[in-house]
Amino acid sequence: MALSQRTVHGDRRPDSTVSDAEAVRAPLDVSIIMPCLNEAESVGASVEKGMRWLREHNVAGEVIVVDNGSSDDSAALAEAAGARVVSETRRGYGAALLRGIDEARGDVLVMGDCDETYDFSELEPLIAPLRDGADISIGNRYAGGIEPGAMTFSHRYIGTPVLSFLVKVSSGVTHGDSQCGLRAFTRDAIERLDLRCDGMEFASEMLLKAGRQKMNIAEVPIRYYPRIGDTKLNTFRDGWRHLRFLLLATPHFLYTLPGALLTLLGALITASTLIAPDGFDAGPIFWHPIFAGTIFLLVGTNAFLFGVVSRLHTESLGLTPHDGLADFYRRHFSFERMLMLGGLLFFAGGAIEVVLLFDRPNGGRFSADAISYANLAQTLIIVGTSLGFSGALSSLIDVDRRG
């Protein structure tokens, strides 16, 4: 991807024959987007560095500062430094960036914090991979160097590595610094990602969706500096938002795999109660797992069904791609098939209950065998009902996707 060498910086065009209205609408090569919340101490310097890079590299571009409800002079200082300032009333890092992306006119978009943790006068290495065909270029602070005091111990050695590992497991993206805020991407790539998160988890959403869409993601060493002013990060709140998003966007790890394991365990234990209705006597240990089998089986089945429904739902949201697994779920877990299977289990359980109702040996008192079969009957009825309801829900989600 080549950037044209037009002498345009910010919203100023040297060609006096072009009207202001045309200048506002004209496409640019690079848009540098900076979310801003009370950054009066640093936003001016950050904007100036970005403008300097545009001038020195003779690149047609703009610097956009998205004011996210600042109560200080951030907006005025950013505008005085040459930025185009827009406001976003929805609070959140992702909300501000999404507004900036909507406002940007560049073919290449750069995002980064305006607290001087990143040097916007050194953007060439970050943008260079896009010219070679990359869709996204992301900085790596560990490879480029972290200045003393720039990152807390917990973020540097625990939070970021853990989130990077989870992003890798969830999406296949193997980059070592998934939370770096300095990134560049093409307009086509960002539009295909259809990003939606409005908080700090925006960074993880970008990589997760890009990885699942098999985009070309480059990693560039960058220097990370101590921030100017107070941090806006909340370690536990923002860390949880990342973890929460990754779990919800990966239903296999949250639901399907645990559900399958619990279902198998529950089925084995339930079968054992039919084989040995009086329990298992091993000397000092006596185990009668009749209720444990039912609990594991019911919890596991429901978790697995949640996984199926969630997988279809995340596809409709664009969090997971349309693939063979989704087609498998859609074909084998349709409303008709689930209703039929659920109905068979429900009536099988009901039939066992009817037999037990009239077969009452021992003067009407239930034997251990009868209790085991009664437990099986109730389990079949509950599982059958869950299958029917889950089939209906998955079909509703599929109708919404097609709509």
Side-chain angles (χ1 to χ4, degrees), residues 357-384:
L357 181 64
F358 292 100
D359 183 15
R360 300 171 61 185
N362 302 322
R365 297 178 59 187
F366 273 111
S367 64
D369 286 336
I371 293 175
S372 296
Y373 281 105
N375 178 66
L376 175 63
Q378 294 165 12
T379 302
L380 292 175
I381 291 172
I382 297 173
V383 170

Side-chain angles (χ1 to χ4, degrees), residues 310-344:
S310 298
R311 177 61 178 78
L312 297 177
H313 183 54
T314 53
E315 181 192 357
S316 71
L317 294 177
L319 292 174
T320 50
H322 177 80
D323 55 16
L325 183 61
D327 289 335
F328 177 85
Y329 283 164
R330 195 167 284 112
R331 183 169 59 254
H332 295 285
F333 292 86
S334 65
F335 182 34
E336 293 78 11
R337 291 197 176 203
M338 297 283 274
L339 188 62
M340 183 179 298
L341 178 59
L344 288 174

Side-chain angles (χ1 to χ4, degrees), residues 139-171:
N140 186 325
R141 297 167 292 182
Y142 292 92
I146 300 173
E147 293 285 330
M151 190 184 295
T152 64
F153 179 90
S154 61
H155 290 179
R156 184 171 183 172
Y157 297 105
I158 302 175
T160 299
V162 168
L163 290 175
S164 296
F165 172 77
L166 292 175
V167 168
K168 176 182 176 180
V169 171
S170 303
S171 66

Side-chain angles (χ1 to χ4, degrees), residues 79-401:
E79 193 169 21
R84 178 158 65 97
V85 178
V86 297
S87 297
E88 173 54 55
T89 56
R90 279 190 312 146
R91 285 296 184 93
Y93 175 75
L97 285 170
L98 288 172
R99 177 61 187 277
I101 291 168
D102 287 341
E103 293 281 346
R105 294 183 280 132
D107 297 322
V108 169
L109 284 68
V110 177
M111 56 174 269
D113 301 329
C114 58
D115 55 10
E116 294 212 75
T117 50
Y118 304 113
D119 188 352
F120 289 99
S121 65
E122 299 290 340
L123 293 179
E124 184 61 25
L126 185 73
I127 293 179
L130 302 182
R131 297 192 183 97
D132 297 328
D135 297 301
I136 299 174
S137 178
I138 179 172
N140 186 325
R141 297 167 292 182
Y142 292 92
I146 300 173
E147 293 285 330
M151 190 184 295
T152 64
F153 179 90
S154 61
H155 290 179
R156 184 171 183 172
Y157 297 105
I158 302 175
T160 299
V162 168
L163 290 175
S164 296
F165 172 77
L166 292 175
V167 168
K168 176 182 176 180
V169 171
S170 303
S171 66
V173 175
T174 59
H175 298 314
D177 188 7
S178 68
Q179 303 308 304
C180 181
L182 186 62
R183 306 179 180 197
F185 36 84
T186 65
R187 176 169 293 282
D188 174 69
I190 202 67
E191 289 176 351
R192 282 190 285 139
L193 290 179
D194 187 27
L195 301 177
R196 305 185 184 193
C197 289
D198 58 7
M200 295 299 297
E201 67 275 20
F202 179 91
S204 294
E205 181 191 15
M206 179 185 292
L207 287 182
L208 182 139
K209 287 186 173 181
R212 289 178 174 177
Q213 292 188 31
K214 307 300 182 184
M215 287 187 175
N216 185 350
I217 307 173
E219 189 173 28
V220 178
I222 59 123
R223 200 77 180 166
Y224 191 61
Y225 301 90
R227 68 165 286 123
I228 305 298
D230 297 330
T231 182
K232 308 301 186 299
L233 288 173
N234 182 298
T235 299
F236 296 103
R237 180 195 63 199
D238 294 325
W240 166 244
R241 290 190 64 142
H242 280 279
L243 180 59
R244 176 181 181 272
F245 168 78
L246 291 171
L247 287 174
L248 294 177
T250 314
H252 291 324
F253 294 106
L254 183 62
Y255 294 121
T256 312
L257 293 179
L261 292 174
L262 287 174
T263 300
L264 178 60
L265 178 62
L268 292 174
I269 294 176
T270 300
S272 73
T273 63
L274 299 176
I275 297 173
D278 292 321
F280 299 90
D281 191 351
I285 299 176
F286 178 77
W287 185 42
H288 199 294
I290 183 169
F291 295 114
T294 300
I295 292 171
F296 284 135
L297 187 57
L298 295 180
V299 172
T301 301
N302 281 288
F304 183 83
L305 293 173
F306 286 159
V308 173
V309 173
S310 298
R311 177 61 178 78
L312 297 177
H313 183 54
T314 53
E315 181 192 357
S316 71
L317 294 177
L319 292 174
T320 50
H322 177 80
D323 55 16
L325 183 61
D327 289 335
F328 177 85
Y329 283 164
R330 195 167 284 112
R331 183 169 59 254
H332 295 285
F333 292 86
S334 65
F335 182 34
E336 293 78 11
R337 291 197 176 203
M338 297 283 274
L339 188 62
M340 183 179 298
L341 178 59
L344 288 174
L345 295 179
F346 183 91
F347 286 111
I352 295 174
E353 289 282 14
V354 170
V355 171
L356 293 175
L357 181 64
F358 292 100
D359 183 15
R360 300 171 61 185
N362 302 322
R365 297 178 59 187
F366 273 111
S367 64
D369 286 336
I371 293 175
S372 296
Y373 281 105
N375 178 66
L376 175 63
Q378 294 165 12
T379 302
L380 292 175
I381 291 172
I382 297 173
V383 170
T385 303
S386 297
L387 288 173
F389 286 143
S390 297
L393 182 57
S394 63
S395 296
L396 284 173
I397 290 174
D398 198 38
V399 168
D400 179 66
R401 180 187 68 89

